[in-house]
């Protein structure tokens, strides 16, 4: 699967309180969460993000609270993929589990500038910066993570491994 | 080759294999699966979407309403009700209602529901607290929790382990909070990313359980997957009075492999403060500007235990002073049991007479939920665990993380203060 989107670039240690502040955690609705995504760091994000845009972070992206609302708000905002130098581990699992593509590539993340366009090949794990023409190889996923990604998230993956048919 | 605590506990819970090493991907059995009023609603949605009808084990799933309870608004009330309805439908054995409950990371150890050698996953990043008892305990998101509720298992990458050795005599007013803040200050907020942290040394052996819980609570603030205190007489004494079932103590091998070893000498260490806006922006208190404070919060899963309140009570009694009239001091015991013990000790009266607001147990202000949300440009000294921008309210509020003694001294003097200044 290939993605292409404009870069929203953020720095190191973007924490889940900044991604979605706790004052909005009295809902699980992706649309409501998306409307407040990143608002304490970048008020323009939720208003101007376009479907397919790509979020780029520095080190330890998604650190802090375990709130799954954080990747849900980013996915709900229309972001197609997150590229970062490194991810906090709970956030990494949460993004994979809800089917939000997430790629670790320190060089791609460092080189990307706001407004750049990135092309991402999720199958090959490559990221191309269209401004510079440079292509980067993201860190490969562990097999179990690949299984969850290929199933479309942990909910469909669980149905698969437990042999539960979708009904209704 | 010897094994770390993480390797031993994971191996004991692994399916299909009996021996594991750092880097291995394994499926493990879970002993306890926890979620709270923020993370459980999504976990329940995911559980239902998986099409699973019954939880794997109704005795091991603990849904604790703690963050926005007593319910702060209608939506929070509905989230808390979702937990109760699911607990009813699934006939969960353990119930945690307001008035008989508290902050999850205070009550689960307090009631002997998490034990040494357990493998615990929790829908809350501070689930790592239980490492103080020698459990492998780690935070996860809601859908991972749904999977564990459905199957009684989860997948893990066996972490590498960093070892932290503490020597020397703790100085007055220095406790577990200062030790872990100093440690996070040294290694940074991603200094233990994906790794386990083992704490040892003579100063750990001498450390009471409440301080051990405080230290293990904050390993996530260094990015760590889990942290471990050694099982010893302190653990045994704490656990044997409470254990609800048999448990197994594990010990790291002498020749276990560590990715790094970090040594700390406590003989010169003063109380530590994490300045805005990061838990690794740590300074000794003598180097922190004595800024005026608007609010002091004493409580949370980090420092809401009886021993924490005892420090505050002792300072008020010995100094004979009240809290500063310009400071809102909010004291929140971490559980109903802590509240009752503090009440019987006369401390809640002491706090109230000194000008503090004392509340029933909740996570409340720690995450800017309710019961003490900060306005723009306000300054707070808090005994909690995070001072990210916007964590406790307005993004321009400034939070200093400190131990209960520093928080109480700051509340009395109206500025960031050393307890010796009283």
């Amino acid at each position: 699967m290939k993605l292409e989107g404009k870069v929203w670039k953020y720095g190191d240690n973007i924490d889940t309180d900044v991604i979605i502040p706790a004052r909005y955690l009295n809902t699980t609705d992706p649309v409501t969460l998306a409307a407040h995504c990143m608002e304490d760091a970048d008020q323009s994000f939720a208003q101007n993000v376009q479907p397919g845009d790509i979020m780029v972070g520095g080190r330890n992206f998604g650190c802090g609270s375990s709130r799954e609302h954080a990747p849900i708000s980013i996915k709900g905002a229309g972001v197609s993929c997150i590229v970062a130098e490194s991810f906090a581990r709970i956030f990494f699992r949460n993004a994979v589990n809800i089917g939000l593509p997430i790629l670790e590539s320190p060089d791609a993340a460092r080189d990307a500038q706001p407004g750049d366009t990135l092309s991402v090949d999720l199958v090959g794990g490559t990221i191309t910066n269209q401004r510079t023409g440079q292509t980067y190889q993201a860190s490969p996923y562990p097999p179990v993570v690949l299984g969850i990604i290929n199933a479309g998230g942990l909910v469909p993956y669980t149905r698969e491994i437990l042999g539960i048919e979708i009904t209704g | 080759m010897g094994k770390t605590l993480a390797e031993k506990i994971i191996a004991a819970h692994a399916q299909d294999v009996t021996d594991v090493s750092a880097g291995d991907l394994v499926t493990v059995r879970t002993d306890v699966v926890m979620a709270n009023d923020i993370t459980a609603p999504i976990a329940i949605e995911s559980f239902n979407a998986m099409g699973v009808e019954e939880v794997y084990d109704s005795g091991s799933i603990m849904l604790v309403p703690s963050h926005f309870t007593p319910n702060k608004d209608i939506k929070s009330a509905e989230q808390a009700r979702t937990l109760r309805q699911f607990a009813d439908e699934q006939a969960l054995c353990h119930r945690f209602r307001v008035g008989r409950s508290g902050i999850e990371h205070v009550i689960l150890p307090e009631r002997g529901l998490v034990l040494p050698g357990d493998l615990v996953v929790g829908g809350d990043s501070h689930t790592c607290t239980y490492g103080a008892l020698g459990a492998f305990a780690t935070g996860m998101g809601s859908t991972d929790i749904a999977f564990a509720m459905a199957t009684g298992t989860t997948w893990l990458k066996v972490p590498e382990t960093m070892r932290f050795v503490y020597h020397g005599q703790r100085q007055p007013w220095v406790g577990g909070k200062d030790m872990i803040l100093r440690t996070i200050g040294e290694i940074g907020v991603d200094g233990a990313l994906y790794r386990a942290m083992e704490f040892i040394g003579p100063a750990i052996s001498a450390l009471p359980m409440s301080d051990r819980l405080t230290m293990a609570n904050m390993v996530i603030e260094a990015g760590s997957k889990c942290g471990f205190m050694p099982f010893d007489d302190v653990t045994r004494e704490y656990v044997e009075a409470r254990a609800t079932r048999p448990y197994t103590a594990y010990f790291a091998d002498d020749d276990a492999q560590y990715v790094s070893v970090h040594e700390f000498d406590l003989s010169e260490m003063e109380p530590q403060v994490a300045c805005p806006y990061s838990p690794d922006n740590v300074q000794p208190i003598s180097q922190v500007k004595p800024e005026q404070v608007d609010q002091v919060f004493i409580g949370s899963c980090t420092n809401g235990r009886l021993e924490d309140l005892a420090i505050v009570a002792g300072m008020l009694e010995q100094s004979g002073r009240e809290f500063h009239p310009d400071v809102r001091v909010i004291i929140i015991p971490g559980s109903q049991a802590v509240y009752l013990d503090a009440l019987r000790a006369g401390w809640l009266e002491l706090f109230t007479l000194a000008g503090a607001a004392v509340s029933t147990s909740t996570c409340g202000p720690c995450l800017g939920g309710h019961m003490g949300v900060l306005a723009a440009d306000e300054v707070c000294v808090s005994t909690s665990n995070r001072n990210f921008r916007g964590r406790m309210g307005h993004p321009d509020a400034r939070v200093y993380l400190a131990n209960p003694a520093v928080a109480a001294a700051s509340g009395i003097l109206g500025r960031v203060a050393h307890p010796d200044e009283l």
Side-chain angles (χ1 to χ4, degrees):
Chain A
M1 188 179 162
K2 296 203 167 152
L3 307 169
E4 191 175 297
K6 193 168 72 75
V7 167
W8 291 84
K9 171 114 187 215
Y10 298 104
D12 291 339
N13 303 312
I14 295 295
D15 62 79
T16 55
D17 278 277
V18 157
I19 296 170
I20 186 74
R23 58 186 178 273
Y24 302 118
L25 299 185
N26 57 2
T27 180
T28 61
D29 173 39
V31 176
T32 310
L33 294 170
H36 300 290
C37 183
M38 300 297 293
E39 76 177 23
D40 285 353
D42 179 1
Q43 297 237 344
S44 72
F45 173 77
Q47 286 155 16
N48 297 317
V49 63
Q50 296 298 313
D53 282 357
I54 291 174
M55 192 176 273
V56 175
R59 286 168 50 185
N60 201 26
F61 187 94
C63 61
S65 148
S66 70
R67 60 190 70 162
E68 205 161 286
H69 311 63
I72 289 172
S73 73
I74 294 171
K75 190 182 180 193
V79 166
S80 64
C81 175
I82 308 176
V83 176
E85 291 184 47
S86 64
F87 291 95
R89 48 166 286 279
I90 303 176
F91 183 89
F92 183 88
R93 289 180 76 118
N94 285 347
V96 166
N97 288 346
I98 66 161
L100 173 62
I102 184 166
L103 293 169
E104 184 181 273
S105 172
D107 291 337
R110 273 194 289 266
D111 294 348
Q113 296 303 319
D116 283 0
T117 298
L118 300 184
S119 310
V120 175
D121 176 356
L122 289 177
V123 177
T126 57
I127 301 154
T128 302
N129 186 320
Q130 293 193 355
R131 177 176 57 85
T132 63
Q134 195 160 351
T135 296
Y136 310 84
Q137 183 68 47
S139 309
Y141 297 117
V144 58
V145 172
L146 203 56
I148 295 168
I149 290 170
N150 288 339
L154 186 56
V155 168
Y157 176 84
T158 308
R159 279 203 220 102
E160 270 179 32
I161 62 167
L162 297 180
I164 296 173
E165 303 272 331
I166 305 169
T167 54
Chain B
M1 194 173 76
K3 296 293 184 189
T4 63
L5 274 166
E7 289 168 332
K8 286 197 173 184
I9 298 173
I10 290 174
H13 290 79
Q15 290 187 328
D16 311 322
V17 292
T18 54
D19 182 54
V20 305
S21 298
D24 293 352
L25 285 167
V26 289
T27 300
V28 290
R29 288 180 296 102
T30 54
D31 296 303
V32 175
V33 180
M34 190 278 297
N36 60 46
D37 50 321
I38 288 175
T39 57
I42 295 180
I44 293 165
E45 274 176 37
S46 293
F47 180 89
N48 291 332
M50 285 168 182
V52 181
E53 304 213 330
E54 285 183 13
V55 297
Y56 178 80
D57 173 14
S58 59
S60 68
I61 295 166
M62 304 185 190
L63 304 182
V64 187
S66 53
H67 281 56
F68 292 161
T69 52
N71 304 327
K72 79 181 177 91
D73 56 26
I74 294 168
K75 287 178 173 177
S76 305
E78 285 168 347
Q79 291 194 167
R81 185 175 61 188
T82 304
L83 271 63
R84 287 197 304 277
Q85 286 174 337
F86 186 80
D88 286 344
E89 283 161 23
Q90 296 288 336
L92 299 188
C93 302
H94 300 285
R95 305 298 177 94
F96 304 92
R97 295 193 187 220
V98 166
R100 298 175 179 274
S101 185
I103 301 171
E104 63 264 46
H105 310 308
V106 177
I107 60 175
L108 264 55
E110 178 185 277
R111 297 183 183 180
L113 295 172
V114 290
L115 293 169
D118 277 358
L119 195 145
V120 184
V121 295
D124 189 285
S125 60
H126 293 108
T127 301
C128 52
T129 308
Y130 318 138
L133 304 171
F136 179 100
T138 194
M140 289 187 179
S142 297
T143 303
D144 268 320
I145 293 305
F147 184 89
M149 293 199 302
T151 65
T153 67
T154 191
W155 70 269
L156 290 172
K157 186 173 179 185
V158 182
E160 297 176 315
T161 299
M162 301 165 78
R163 190 162 241 209
F164 297 83
V165 190
Y166 301 83
H167 305 279
Q169 181 78 32
R170 272 191 291 140
Q171 299 303 297
W173 310 116
V174 170
K177 184 62 164 286
D178 308 285
M179 293 161 68
I180 192 66
L181 284 178
R182 175 69 175 270
T183 305
I184 297 164
E186 295 261 332
I187 66 172
V189 287
D190 64 350
L193 197 57
Y194 287 85
R195 291 172 171 168
M197 299 168 77
E198 277 187 22
F199 302 100
I200 61 156
I204 294 291
S205 301
L207 203 61
M209 182 52 74
S210 63
D211 292 88
R212 295 181 183 197
L213 288 159
T214 301
M215 288 187 75
N217 173 269
M218 287 192 72
V219 301
I220 180 65
E221 268 41 89
S224 186
K225 185 174 283 186
C226 57
F228 295 100
M229 292 289 168
F231 184 93
D232 61 12
D233 289 343
V234 172
T235 328
R236 189 177 292 108
E237 189 185 340
Y238 182 87
V239 168
E240 295 213 333
R242 305 156 195 269
T244 52
R245 53 191 159 82
Y247 64 89
T248 308
Y250 293 90
F251 301 90
D253 289 329
D254 292 338
D255 58 344
Q257 300 289 307
Y258 296 95
V259 287
S260 58
V261 179
H262 307 256
E263 311 255 348
F264 294 86
D265 179 6
L266 301 187
S267 58
E268 302 281 324
M269 191 194 291
E270 52 176 304
Q272 306 285 307
V273 176
C275 302
Y277 285 98
S278 179
D280 67 359
N281 187 16
V282 175
Q283 300 288 338
I285 180 125
S286 61
Q287 303 300 310
V288 179
K289 200 177 84 179
E291 191 171 10
Q292 283 200 345
V293 299
D294 301 289
Q295 178 170 302
V296 164
F297 167 47
I298 297 166
S300 83
C301 59
T302 313
N303 282 116
R305 296 182 184 79
L306 195 65
E307 294 81 352
D308 301 311
L309 302 188
I311 292 168
V312 180
M315 290 169 70
L316 290 170
E317 275 169 351
Q318 281 169 27
S319 69
R321 297 181 69 160
E322 295 181 358
F323 292 116
H324 194 282
D326 294 338
V327 182
R328 311 185 298 268
V329 177
I330 298 165
I331 302 179
I332 305 186
S335 72
Q336 190 83 350
V338 173
Y339 187 100
L340 186 58
D341 286 344
L343 179 73
R344 286 175 172 158
W347 300 342
L348 301 191
E349 183 178 2
L350 182 68
F351 299 155
T352 306
L353 289 171
V358 182
S359 144
T360 188
S361 152
T362 180
C363 303
C366 167
L367 75 161
H370 61 153
M371 294 296 302
V373 176
L374 298 170
D377 302 320
E378 286 193 328
V379 174
C380 178
V381 175
S382 175
T383 66
S384 56
N385 43 52
R386 290 188 177 132
N387 58 349
F388 302 144
R389 197 175 272 280
R391 170 73 180 181
M392 292 184 69
H394 194 281
D396 293 333
R398 295 157 51 77
V399 176
Y400 291 85
L401 303 177
N403 74 30
V406 170
S410 304
I412 292 167
L413 294 172
R415 55 177 171 79
V416 179
H418 193 298
D420 277 346
E421 295 182 63
L422 292 182

